[in-house]
Amino acid sequence: MHILIIIVVIVLIFFIPIPLSFHLYISKDKFYIKFYSLNLLSNEDGIIRNLINKKKLNKLEEKKTKKTIENNDDNDSSNKKVKSKEISLKKLYNNLIHNKFKPTLNFNSTTIYSLGDAANTAIAFGLLYNLNPLLLNIFSIIFKVKKYKNDFKPVFKDKILFELTLNSIITFNLAKIIYICFIILKSFNKNRRWISLYWDYYGW
């Protein structure tokens, strides 16, 4: 009975959908990126900004430490051969585009803009809407796009105006994330042998 419960819990952990909600707002005087209601980054505050500021405080000490280590290793580095692994963008693209287990994306965006001239604003309206098929194709490489709405609202005023509001929800599960990680690993030109064998064994 306990084993059955453990199996059910593991299955739930791997396959239960996890929705992630992101909000982006950009204007002339303000911007923010939020994860649910958590402020990740804004023009005044945010978790990312605070982390960057903390890293800057320790930057000088880290540079001094790195210089000391590099000076000590200069003599030994000439005798060492470093094997580099380069990712193949073509392989990555093909692997992602044929992935049957993509995360789900709900995308909703509204852009309000003015170029300061009515004629230029009207021309830009047509050009911007032509971006939608391109953006949809790009999103479709990684995600299964469930909803896509990207509106452009021109404002015919004699001033420059730009305001972007974006709301998106990415739904995935742990199994899909692990599978995407294997896809990325397989896209390297030089992989470890066990990764290739494991991938070929399961027909991935």
Side-chain angles (χ1 to χ4, degrees), residues 65-99:
T65 304
K66 287 181 179 179
K67 286 181 179 179
T68 303
I69 295 173
E70 288 174 357
N71 290 333
N72 293 333
D73 293 340
D74 280 342
N75 294 329
D76 297 331
S77 60
S78 59
N79 296 326
K80 295 179 180 179
K81 293 182 179 180
V82 179
K83 294 183 179 179
S84 61
K85 296 181 180 180
E86 296 181 355
I87 192 167
S88 171
L89 295 179
K90 184 178 180 180
K91 286 183 181 179
L92 179 62
Y93 172 79
N94 289 330
N95 291 331
L96 289 175
I97 200 70
H98 294 102
N99 178 19

Side-chain angles (χ1 to χ4, degrees), residues 83-201:
K83 294 183 179 179
S84 61
K85 296 181 180 180
E86 296 181 355
I87 192 167
S88 171
L89 295 179
K90 184 178 180 180
K91 286 183 181 179
L92 179 62
Y93 172 79
N94 289 330
N95 291 331
L96 289 175
I97 200 70
H98 294 102
N99 178 19
K100 297 180 180 179
F101 306 101
K102 298 179 180 181
T104 302
L105 174 66
N106 289 321
F107 184 88
N108 189 354
S109 174
T110 302
T111 302
I112 301 172
Y113 75 96
S114 173
L115 299 181
D117 179 79
N120 292 334
T121 301
I123 293 172
F125 178 74
L127 295 175
L128 289 172
Y129 258 103
N130 287 329
L131 292 176
N132 278 334
L134 177 61
L135 291 175
L136 182 58
N137 287 333
I138 293 173
F139 290 150
S140 298
I141 295 172
I142 304 174
F143 304 103
K144 182 179 180 181
V145 181
K146 188 175 181 180
K147 179 183 177 182
Y148 178 84
K149 184 180 179 182
N150 189 24
D151 289 335
F152 299 96
K153 297 182 178 180
V155 177
F156 298 99
K157 292 184 178 180
D158 295 331
K159 65 177 182 179
I160 302 297
L161 176 66
F162 179 81
E163 183 177 329
L164 170 64
T165 304
L166 186 151
N167 298 301
S168 65
I169 299 176
I170 300 173
T171 305
F172 67 96
N173 55 45
L174 187 58
K176 290 181 179 179
I177 295 300
I178 293 174
Y179 188 78
I180 290 175
C181 290
F182 274 112
I183 286 176
I184 295 173
L185 287 174
K186 193 182 179 183
S187 301
F188 281 90
N189 288 326
K190 294 181 180 180
N191 283 320
R192 293 180 180 178
R193 187 179 179 185
W194 68 269
I195 294 176
S196 300
L197 292 174
Y198 187 85
W199 193 283
D200 294 336
Y201 178 80

Side-chain angles (χ1 to χ4, degrees), residues 5-57:
I5 294 174
I6 293 173
I7 293 174
V8 171
V9 171
I10 293 175
V11 170
L12 289 176
I13 292 174
F14 272 84
F15 296 100
I16 189 170
I18 303 173
L20 301 181
S21 179
F22 295 92
H23 308 277
L24 170 68
Y25 177 83
I26 301 175
S27 66
K28 183 179 179 180
D29 304 319
K30 183 181 179 181
F31 80 90
Y32 64 77
I33 303 173
K34 290 185 178 181
F35 174 67
Y36 290 101
S37 59
L38 188 65
N39 185 11
L40 295 180
L41 182 64
S42 65
N43 51 327
E44 296 179 352
D45 198 6
I47 295 175
I48 296 176
R49 185 181 293 274
N50 293 334
L51 291 174
I52 292 173
N53 290 335
K54 287 182 181 179
K55 288 183 179 180
K56 286 182 178 179
L57 293 176

